[in-house]
Amino acid sequence: MNEQKLSQRLMRVAEGIPTGTRLADIGSDHAYLPTYLVLTQKIAYAVAGEVVAGPYQAAKKIVMRSGLEKRIQVRLANGLAAIQPEDKITGISICGMGGSLIQSILEAGQKNGQLSGSEQLFLQPNIGEYALRKWLANNHYQITDEEIIAEDGKKYEIIFAQKSPVPVSYSEKELFFGPCLLEKNSVIFHEKWLDEIKKKKLLLQKLEQAATKPKEKIAGIKALIQAIEEVV
Ligand code: SAM
């Protein structure tokens, strides 16, 4: 992967970012996503935020190498503190982190006034999708689209969200599987959850063979398997 050829995961995020978005890419690492979007002229302005010095330097190097210092501001900052009011950001991408970290970045941004609610959100949690969807709903964000991407033997969920003027509510099933993913009912969605069932059944076998069976845990896993089997 580089700034000219994104991974499939970041490419799908890039495809979902509307033309002309003023993007803040938080946890940008090498700044591949904003650099690709500016190089392909889909967007004209971005902030690449990084909290760790090494990836921040890597991002600066890629942006300089591409001659985009005027269009991409690389900033060493924690979460949405990378955003300044004059950036007039209209979209925020946070990719390749756990859902709980994404959630805490959004939460802090909301408290500190860096997340105004007018920005579109482009999120790619590696894990913890349920809790992230719950945070979005609790904070009046509607999930506008979702995707699953398979890459290097892993499956990644991508969530696009936008603040809603009215309260947002999702069922437990929608929070768990993703409201748009449920509706799309794609082959890869089925593959993901059939794999999950296999993993849970293996775990169940092990727990049932244990000298002291953790009854509550076993019951929880059985209920989860049943819930997944009702969908796939
Ligand atoms: N976004 C890129 C992608 O999806 O390929 C890079 C993902 S990388 C695994 C996660 C990056 O997020 C790391 O470079 C890490 O330093 C950065 N990061 C973690 N917490 C952060 C925070 N609170 N603020 C800004 N960057 C953060």
Side-chain angles (χ1 to χ4, degrees):
M1 167 165 68
N2 59 39
E3 68 278 22
Q4 288 172 17
K5 191 175 185 317
L6 295 181
S7 64
Q8 274 192 56
R9 175 181 61 82
L10 283 184
M11 183 53 112
R12 183 58 195 91
V13 176
E15 283 166 3
I17 296 176
T19 304
T21 297
R22 291 178 70 86
L23 183 73
D25 184 46
I26 305 301
S28 201
D29 197 351
H30 285 71
Y32 287 147
L33 179 63
T35 306
Y36 172 84
L37 286 166
V38 176
L39 281 177
T40 54
Q41 299 183 4
K42 192 171 187 189
I43 68 171
Y45 182 83
V47 170
E50 244 304 329
V51 77
V52 175
Y56 162 74
Q57 291 300 345
K60 276 196 91 98
K61 197 169 139 191
I62 299 287
V63 169
M64 270 180 66
R65 186 171 82 188
S66 310
L68 296 177
E69 303 96 307
K70 288 206 175 113
R71 295 199 178 265
I72 304 177
Q73 303 303 314
V74 183
R75 296 190 184 132
L76 185 64
N78 187 356
L80 304 194
I83 299 174
Q84 293 168 8
E86 55 272 26
D87 296 322
K88 298 189 171 58
I89 291 303
T90 60
I92 298 173
S93 53
I94 315 179
C95 303
M97 303 179 201
S100 63
L101 180 53
I102 295 178
Q103 185 183 321
S104 68
I105 289 174
L106 293 171
E107 181 82 34
Q110 203 162 243
K111 266 194 201 125
N112 299 330
Q114 296 128 351
L115 182 66
S116 72
S118 65
E119 310 88 349
Q120 277 183 283
L121 302 181
F122 316 106
L123 311 173
Q124 184 270 298
N126 290 339
I127 52 165
E129 296 87 352
Y130 168 88
L132 180 58
R133 287 192 189 96
K134 203 164 181 163
W135 185 92
L136 290 169
N138 287 343
N139 289 276
H140 295 202
Y141 278 91
Q142 189 175 4
I143 296 172
T144 51
D145 196 10
E146 288 171 306
E147 282 293 341
I148 299 189
I149 285 294
E151 194 167 60
D152 300 332
K154 281 189 190 167
K155 293 193 178 63
Y156 300 99
E157 294 191 7
I158 299 168
I159 302 172
F160 300 106
Q162 172 87 62
K163 195 113 174 169
S164 161
V166 291
V168 172
S169 135
Y170 292 113
S171 65
E172 279 297 299
K173 186 173 156 184
E174 287 172 320
L175 291 173
F176 188 73
F177 293 101
C180 306
L181 294 176
L182 271 171
E183 210 171 291
K184 288 184 180 175
N185 206 14
S186 65
V187 172
I188 186 167
F189 172 81
H190 277 253
E191 284 172 1
K192 170 179 170 147
W193 291 109
L194 289 174
D195 278 356
E196 259 334 289
I197 291 177
K198 267 190 212 158
K199 281 185 211 156
K200 298 272 179 253
K201 283 189 172 167
L202 274 177
L203 177 62
L204 202 57
Q205 257 181 7
K206 277 189 192 153
L207 293 175
E208 280 178 331
Q209 284 162 4
T212 33
K213 289 184 194 161
K215 284 186 189 156
E216 268 183 38
K217 197 168 180 183
I218 289 176
I221 294 172
K222 281 185 177 167
L224 196 57
I225 292 174
Q226 197 188 333
I228 301 173
E229 282 177 337
E230 280 168 17
V231 165
V232 292

